[in-house]
Amino acid sequence: MSVPSPTIGDFKIRRHYDERTKTWLFSVIDIIAALIEQTDFKKAQSYWTTLKNRLKNEGNESVTKCHQLKLEATDGKKYLTDVADKEQELCIKQKAILDDLKSFLMTLKSF
């Protein structure tokens, strides 16, 4: 029996079940795309790369714990992509939201 992939709004989130650890691993780029409502994969990937570098520079452990797995893309091929468990995803989501809030506040300051 196949379990459908979860969605956030119109965004499908790719995932993989790790039998060894008994946890679900979710595509970080898919989560980021849904959070920033970005339908262009390359732009979501670029956003994640920038955020990941910021998190690494801050010493954030959630990024260093990210793994890469081959997940099926929309073209049917499998590519390496960053994946994280629910706990890591929560940390990443919080950071992405805070970064967006900071940018918004900086924009308001300029008025």
Side-chain angles (χ1 to χ4, degrees):
M1 182 176 112
S2 177
V3 178
S5 293
T7 59
I8 298 176
D10 294 334
F11 294 89
K12 179 182 165 193
I13 309 301
R14 293 173 294 161
R15 65 183 178 170
H16 169 78
Y17 187 71
D18 185 343
E19 290 287 341
R20 186 179 53 81
T21 61
K22 306 289 186 217
T23 57
W24 283 102
L25 299 170
F26 300 90
S27 166
V28 176
I29 293 174
D30 293 350
I31 296 287
I32 293 294
L35 283 174
I36 64 172
E37 297 179 344
Q38 181 56 258
T39 56
D40 184 333
F41 176 81
K42 289 291 184 188
K43 288 182 181 177
Q45 187 177 37
S46 176
Y47 187 98
W48 168 235
T49 301
T50 302
L51 181 61
K52 181 167 59 170
N53 288 332
R54 265 191 225 138
L55 290 169
K56 278 183 183 177
N57 291 338
E58 293 173 5
N60 188 304
E61 287 185 26
S62 58
V63 174
T64 58
K65 291 180 182 177
C66 279
H67 303 289
Q68 284 196 327
L69 292 176
K70 283 191 174 188
L71 296 179
E72 191 171 322
T74 54
D75 65 3
K77 295 179 183 176
K78 291 190 175 198
Y79 299 97
L80 280 176
T81 189
D82 288 335
V83 294
D85 64 22
K86 286 182 184 180
E87 195 175 302
Q88 293 163 309
E89 286 289 353
L90 181 60
C91 291
I92 292 166
K93 287 178 198 176
Q94 288 172 339
K95 181 62 177 169
I97 291 167
L98 286 174
D99 279 358
D100 283 348
L101 181 59
K102 284 179 189 173
S103 295
F104 176 71
L105 292 174
M106 293 302 282
T107 303
L108 286 179
K109 277 180 122 176
S110 66
F111 286 105

